[in-house]
Amino acid sequence: MQVLKRKSLALVGNHAVAYAVKQAKPQVLSVFPITPQTTMLEKLAEYVSKGELKAEMIRVESEHSAMAAVYGAAVAGSRVFTATSSQGLLYMTEMIYWAGGQRVPIVAAIATRALAEPWTIWDDHQDFISKRDAIWIQMMAENVQEAYDMTLQAFKISEDQRVIMPVMMGFDGFILTHTMERVEVLEDSEVDSFLPPRQFNLIDFSDPVGVGPIATPDEYIKIRYEAKKAMERSKDVIRDIMKEYEKISGRKYDLVECYKCEDADYVIVSMGAWSSDGKVAVDRLRNNGEKVGLLKIRVFRPFPKEEIREKLKDVKAVVTFDRAYSFGSGGILANEIKSALYGNNIPVHSVIAGLGGKDVRPLHFQNVIEDLISGKLEEERWIL
Amino acid sequence: MSLITNPRRIPKLYRGNAACPGCPIPKELDILIEELGEKAVLVVPASCTTVIMGDTTGMPSTIPVVHSAFAAASPIASGIVRSLRMKGDNDSIVAVWAGDGGTADIGFSAISGSAERNEDILYVCYDNEAYMNTGIQRSSLTPKGAWTTTTPEGKREFKKPMPFIMAEHKIPYVATASVAYPFDYQNKVKKAKQIKGFRYVHLLSPCPPGWRFDSSLTIEIAKLAVETGIWPLFEIENGEFRLTSISKTLIDKKNRKPVTEYLKLQGRFSKLNEKEIKEIEDSVDELWEEIKSYIKQ
């Protein structure tokens, strides 16, 4: 990696995302507070109040209205941003689908958090992953640096003429939102050239259109088919934009990240912050002579099926780590990976862990892999 | 993305839209759109108007229309207006056109939020006193005693006093209106247009199939609602209450037509007994006592 002399800041995840948002210069923000997103909202409010970010901030009465407000603002041509978590994401779900169905460029940061009931404020991915069919591009960050970088990428992906679709940037609640890390930030001028002003507006008084009318069944399925094609096209666009970002930042991004999995016999598949713990486990196992690797899913929608098939084609077995579960079916990532590997005859084991913020450490990953190698790992294991 | 384009420009709503026979909505929208002018956006949540405004094959409006989920109209309008202002557009107007359910029930928290923030929106509620788009189910604006498919015995509760609730938000302008008094309605929209901030106009909008009357009687019934005192025409401008049009003469009870004249034309009230009718009459008198207290101030 090219080492550049850059400005580094010590930022918690929420402030890193807020910093990226400030640099992206959205004209309208609408955010409703929820733990663990709140400190991001407070930072954005501070930027706006100090005039560091020239934006309209709509302090709405609910998440449903937050998404509605940025939807309206995006329809009328502004770059927009919102953020939420957990129950807030559920409360906004109707408008998440509305924005996805109409395909307007919106960026939402999701501080992932487990869902009630029982009440909880800690991290898992059930909230984020439940939006997988809403016609949104979904990405997950591993650390604070990625949360910063991917927020900037999200704006560009969302507004790309080949895509035009809302983008959700997920990052683990508390684990990233409240952890301070050294973050290398871009210069404002670099962000300006990466992210030129937005070209999108559906409100034209000289040529009025109806936005989002009733569709007949014939039209509805065609519009959905167009969305499917746009989602498929977005893979190349995401890759292009990540490459472009790499040129500026020196940091390499792709739909998936392969950590020592090129020659691996056994591969952990994971998404989000605990991928770092998984990598520590991989290093330890490698030191013990085991050929183990980790495949990180960075882009969850569109799901990078082909890339996963390619990376995993020669492995003996895969174990997915899921922080979310489809009750009555199985680990959600596990099911996605099984579907991607269909016909390859590679065993896929599923581990469910970390729900509701339950602590998971490198040792957990290590134990699971050791059990996998010695043939002792069940098809599905819950780490309770 | 689903968008429909407007093939020709005329100053109002097109003829031949999908409204039911006798529905006052096209006329009410005509007046609104004409008053708003060309630099206006209409936000329409799920309601009869969603259908009237056409499907992906054609749009009957000459101004941009943004369709909205049921509870989301006022925040979508907030987003649009803030976005337009950010881009230096200070003279366009963003209006919400919503039914009673979208306003007083599912959209209530959102409209209250937008009003509390005093968003620069003109909100028009066309009140047909039930969920008509799904076929006559009660809403919180259905009047007491009215039959609906979900109140087959007649609704037990009184109508939510929406214009007064909105006035309590201390917004700059609140008005009631009726399609039977088009100039009064038009003047109120004209006045509201000149005001900045959250403006609320509440239109009583009789519905022939929902209220069970002949489609030729729409205007007659809208007129009777005002003449009997059930639907007083007023405006509250910066907290100052003022009766308008014919309602100015109705403080004196003897000028008001008997409530039964309004009720008897509508099938939805056909099962009311005398006690229930008396209760409705009393509630109208109470309303006017309340109005008197506002005027004295």
Side-chain angles (χ1 to χ4, degrees):
Chain A
M1 194 174 84
Q2 191 189 356
V3 181
L4 296 168
K5 189 85 179 152
R6 285 210 176 272
K7 185 157 88 172
S8 285
L9 302 173
L11 296 171
V12 296
N14 273 341
H15 290 177
V17 172
Y19 194 87
V21 170
K22 182 178 79 161
Q23 290 185 305
K25 297 181 182 161
Q27 288 105 6
V28 179
L29 315 167
S30 184
V31 192
F32 189 76
I34 183 169
T35 303
Q37 156 264 51
T38 321
T39 56
M40 185 202 307
L41 165 58
E42 289 167 346
K43 184 52 85 179
L44 289 167
E46 188 186 316
Y47 287 146
V48 172
S49 126
K50 285 182 177 164
E52 291 175 39
L53 171 58
K54 288 184 179 43
E56 282 284 317
M57 190 157 193
I58 313 181
R59 279 97 171 172
V60 280
E61 72 295 332
S62 76
E63 288 90 353
H64 191 276
S65 288
M67 184 52 71
V70 294
Y71 173 83
V75 162
S78 288
R79 179 171 290 160
V80 300
F81 175 79
T82 189
T84 190
S85 179
S86 186
Q87 304 299 118
L89 186 60
L90 295 195
Y91 201 56
M92 112 178 355
T93 297
E94 186 194 22
M95 298 316 294
I96 293 259
Y97 273 77
W98 197 271
Q102 181 60 23
R103 287 179 48 212
V104 292
I106 293 171
V107 172
I110 309 301
T112 62
R113 170 182 142 183
L115 300 172
E117 177 65 7
W119 268 121
T120 172
I121 57 165
W122 292 283
D123 176 44
D124 74 24
H125 295 166
Q126 198 80 35
D127 55 353
F128 181 81
I129 232 164
S130 74
K131 299 297 156 280
R132 65 187 187 266
D133 306 325
I135 321 183
W136 279 63
I137 289 168
Q138 289 181 292
M139 318 192 291
M140 269 303 276
E142 180 187 334
N143 50 45
V144 175
Q145 181 71 61
E146 285 199 2
Y148 168 83
D149 291 338
M150 285 160 75
T151 302
L152 290 174
Q153 293 164 10
F155 282 102
K156 194 168 171 91
I157 294 164
S158 156
E159 294 169 20
D160 190 287
Q161 290 300 313
R162 295 164 288 176
V163 179
I164 308 185
M165 200 180 282
V167 178
M168 216 176 264
M169 197 287 296
F171 64 133
D172 291 75
F174 289 112
I175 297 170
L176 298 183
T177 57
H178 286 62
T179 299
M180 192 171 281
E181 286 180 20
R182 176 184 165 277
V183 182
E184 216 172 64
V185 296
L186 299 187
E187 294 300 326
D188 290 351
S189 58
E190 290 173 317
V191 176
D192 288 345
S193 64
F194 175 71
L195 204 57
R198 206 178 86 151
Q199 304 295 323
F200 178 87
N201 188 4
L202 299 178
I203 303 286
D204 180 352
F205 296 111
S206 61
D207 182 20
V209 297
V211 180
I214 285 183
T216 59
D218 281 351
E219 289 297 315
Y220 184 89
I221 194 166
K222 277 185 211 155
I223 291 164
R224 281 296 189 263
Y225 184 68
E226 288 302 320
K228 166 202 138 76
K229 287 199 292 187
M231 193 55 104
E232 285 165 0
R233 278 199 302 276
S234 76
K235 273 192 193 179
D236 288 337
V237 175
I238 296 168
R239 210 177 277 118
D240 287 353
I241 288 170
M242 285 175 165
K243 281 201 181 110
E244 193 184 329
Y245 191 82
E246 185 186 341
K247 277 185 203 143
I248 311 170
S249 67
R251 288 183 290 277
K252 194 171 167 58
Y253 281 91
D254 206 338
L255 306 173
V256 296
E257 184 188 303
C258 202
Y259 184 75
K260 299 187 179 173
C261 62
E262 288 84 358
D263 65 335
D265 290 331
Y266 302 97
V267 171
I268 299 165
V269 177
S270 72
M271 186 166 78
W274 65 4
S275 304
S276 299
D277 301 279
K279 288 173 185 173
V280 172
V282 166
D283 287 344
R284 287 181 192 167
L285 289 158
R286 284 263 171 189
N287 283 342
N288 298 345
E290 304 290 359
K291 285 165 79 177
V292 179
L294 181 139
L295 186 78
K296 182 177 82 181
I297 309 293
R298 191 179 272 125
V299 175
F300 180 64
R301 281 292 181 272
F303 198 69
K305 264 187 190 177
E306 294 77 15
E307 292 76 5
I308 290 165
R309 271 178 89 88
E310 172 58 28
K311 302 277 187 205
L312 298 180
K313 65 180 192 300
D314 298 323
V315 304
K316 286 182 184 159
V318 173
V319 56
T320 58
F321 270 69
D322 256 301
R323 272 195 123 111
Y325 196 71
S326 177
F327 293 87
S329 175
I332 295 170
L333 208 50
N335 288 347
E336 298 273 354
I337 295 293
K338 282 176 193 166
S339 153
L341 295 181
Y342 181 73
N344 272 22
N345 212 17
I346 298 167
V348 177
H349 296 259
S350 168
V351 172
I352 314 299
L355 302 191
K358 169 91 173 163
D359 200 20
V360 179
R361 292 156 187 252
L363 192 61
H364 292 108
F365 285 90
Q366 211 175 321
N367 290 343
V368 163
I369 290 290
E370 280 163 359
D371 284 353
L372 175 66
I373 293 169
S374 60
K376 283 190 288 186
L377 187 65
E378 312 87 321
E379 196 188 331
E380 179 179 301
R381 174 181 289 183
W382 284 59
I383 301 178
L384 299 173
Chain B
M1 220 181 285
S2 49
L3 302 172
I4 43 172
T5 51
N6 182 335
R8 63 202 163 108
R9 287 285 268 168
I10 50 169
K12 295 179 180 180
L13 199 70
Y14 297 166
R15 306 300 99 190
N17 54 61
C20 300
C23 175
I25 294 172
K27 184 68 208 166
E28 294 162 351
L29 268 173
D30 257 11
I31 294 171
L32 179 70
I33 294 172
E34 195 173 6
E35 250 349 288
L36 294 181
E38 292 198 348
K39 274 196 85 179
V41 187
L42 210 55
V43 181
V44 179
S47 68
C48 296
T49 308
T50 309
V51 178
I52 295 171
M53 279 301 180
D55 64 13
T56 47
T57 58
M59 171 170 96
S61 162
T62 55
I63 58 172
V65 176
V66 178
H67 292 270
S68 149
F70 208 4
S74 40
I76 287 180
S78 305
I80 293 172
V81 76
R82 302 269 199 127
S83 182
L84 293 172
R85 299 292 181 262
M86 266 312 274
K87 293 175 346 158
D89 172 351
N90 291 312
D91 59 349
S92 57
I93 181 162
V94 179
V96 175
W97 174 262
D100 47 305
T103 302
D105 294 341
I106 192 169
F108 189 67
S109 133
I111 181 180
S112 174
S114 299
E116 183 264 335
R117 295 191 305 274
N118 200 25
E119 299 280 359
D120 194 16
I121 298 168
L122 170 58
Y123 193 108
V124 184
C125 170
Y126 68 97
D127 180 4
N128 49 29
E129 302 196 320
Y131 299 104
M132 296 311 184
N133 200 24
T134 42
I136 329 166
Q137 295 83 30
R138 68 91 88 180
S139 80
S140 64
L141 296 191
T142 301
K144 186 167 186 179
W147 164 91
T148 68
T149 56
T150 53
T151 52
E153 316 278 303
K155 191 189 171 194
R156 292 176 200 278
E157 303 81 17
F158 280 108
K159 184 180 171 87
K160 195 186 269 188
M162 201 58 195
F164 295 110
I165 293 171
M166 293 315 294
E168 285 295 316
H169 286 77
K170 311 297 177 205
I171 52 177
Y173 191 74
V174 175
T176 58
S178 162
V179 69
Y181 297 87
F183 296 118
D184 178 71
Y185 165 43
Q186 195 171 12
N187 285 335
K188 284 167 177 170
V189 174
K190 198 190 291 278
K191 183 180 269 187
K193 197 188 165 187
Q194 304 308 320
I195 298 170
K196 289 277 171 205
F198 198 90
R199 297 139 281 167
Y200 182 80
V201 176
H202 196 131
L203 259 170
L204 188 68
S205 190
C207 169
W211 296 11
R212 297 290 191 244
F213 63 79
D214 188 89
S215 58
S216 65
L217 294 176
T218 308
I219 300 300
E220 180 65 25
I221 283 176
K223 207 169 162 212
L224 278 169
V226 174
E227 289 172 338
T228 56
I230 281 183
W231 191 248
L233 299 174
F234 60 80
E235 57 185 7
I236 307 171
E237 200 179 343
N238 295 318
E240 195 185 319
F241 184 97
R242 195 180 309 121
L243 287 165
T244 64
S245 186
I246 188 185
S247 293
K248 283 191 272 194
T249 65
L250 301 182
I251 295 184
D252 191 345
K253 192 182 173 182
K254 71 174 191 301
N255 292 337
R256 302 203 288 265
K257 286 191 176 173
V259 167
T260 45
E261 286 200 23
Y262 174 70
L263 302 178
K264 75 181 181 197
L265 288 176
Q266 303 173 48
R268 63 175 174 157
F269 293 119
S270 64
K271 285 184 185 158
L272 293 185
N273 59 35
E274 287 194 359
K275 186 173 161 264
E276 288 165 329
I277 291 172
K278 176 76 172 57
E279 225 177 65
I280 293 172
E281 285 170 343
D282 289 348
S283 73
V284 174
D285 291 345
E286 272 171 40
L287 172 64
W288 281 89
E289 286 307 311
E290 194 184 334
I291 286 171
K292 272 184 208 166
S293 75
Y294 296 142
I295 292 169
K296 272 179 201 156
Q297 281 168 7

